[in-house]
Amino acid sequence: MPNFKNNRTAEDIKREMTAILRELKDPRIDKMLSIVRTELSGDMSVCKIYVSSFMGIEKAKESVMGLKSAEGFIKRELFHRLKLRKSPSLTFIADDSIARSAEISKKLNDLL
């Protein structure tokens, strides 16, 4: 049976993380960084956040390093914005899905 509270909270985290990313001033974090998806554990103690950059996987990996250093600030902001009882620990993962989807789209356009 799906846990709707978990799914709703994961979507709320994704929405708020998008807003928080725009406020961060770390030069390592790409301005074109996008949150692909969030996965929240069943007990809501761990949240995996997959991020992707339009500039490629290397820029996404560099941005993950900047996000890890700002993790304390991000957790505090999530805690206050979402009114959570307990803030989950955050794990940032670089993902290249945007670049991969652009490549697939280009190949499909070339076929036409």
Side-chain angles (χ1 to χ4, degrees):
M1 178 176 208
N3 189 345
F4 295 109
K5 183 178 180 187
N6 248 3
N7 293 340
R8 188 178 65 229
T9 305
E11 286 300 315
D12 289 343
I13 289 173
K14 181 179 177 183
R15 183 188 67 241
E16 290 300 328
M17 275 298 302
T18 302
I20 291 170
L21 279 179
R22 304 303 164 233
E23 297 173 7
L24 295 175
K25 305 258 190 282
D26 193 333
R28 293 177 288 184
I29 299 173
D30 186 20
K31 297 295 181 197
M32 300 296 287
L33 195 66
S34 142
I35 298 184
V36 178
R37 71 177 189 266
T38 56
E39 292 178 358
L40 194 58
S41 66
D43 61 352
M44 298 170 78
S45 64
V46 177
C47 183
K48 293 180 183 176
I49 301 173
Y50 294 86
V51 296
S52 183
S53 175
F54 289 107
M55 302 298 176
I57 189 70
E58 294 304 319
K59 191 65 176 171
K61 288 179 181 177
E62 181 181 341
S63 296
V64 164
M65 291 172 50
L67 289 171
K68 284 181 183 176
S69 69
E71 183 178 355
F73 171 77
I74 294 170
K75 280 179 69 169
R76 188 184 73 223
E77 283 295 312
L78 281 176
F79 181 76
H80 288 298
R81 291 180 184 203
L82 296 177
K83 308 286 192 263
L84 297 172
R85 184 176 299 172
K86 177 179 124 175
S87 185
S89 65
L90 304 176
T91 305
F92 298 101
I93 301 168
D95 192 21
D96 66 341
S97 60
I98 291 178
R100 193 171 35 200
S101 64
E103 181 182 321
I104 290 171
S105 177
K106 182 179 180 289
K107 286 181 181 180
L108 287 175
N109 286 335
D110 290 344
L111 289 175
L112 300 175

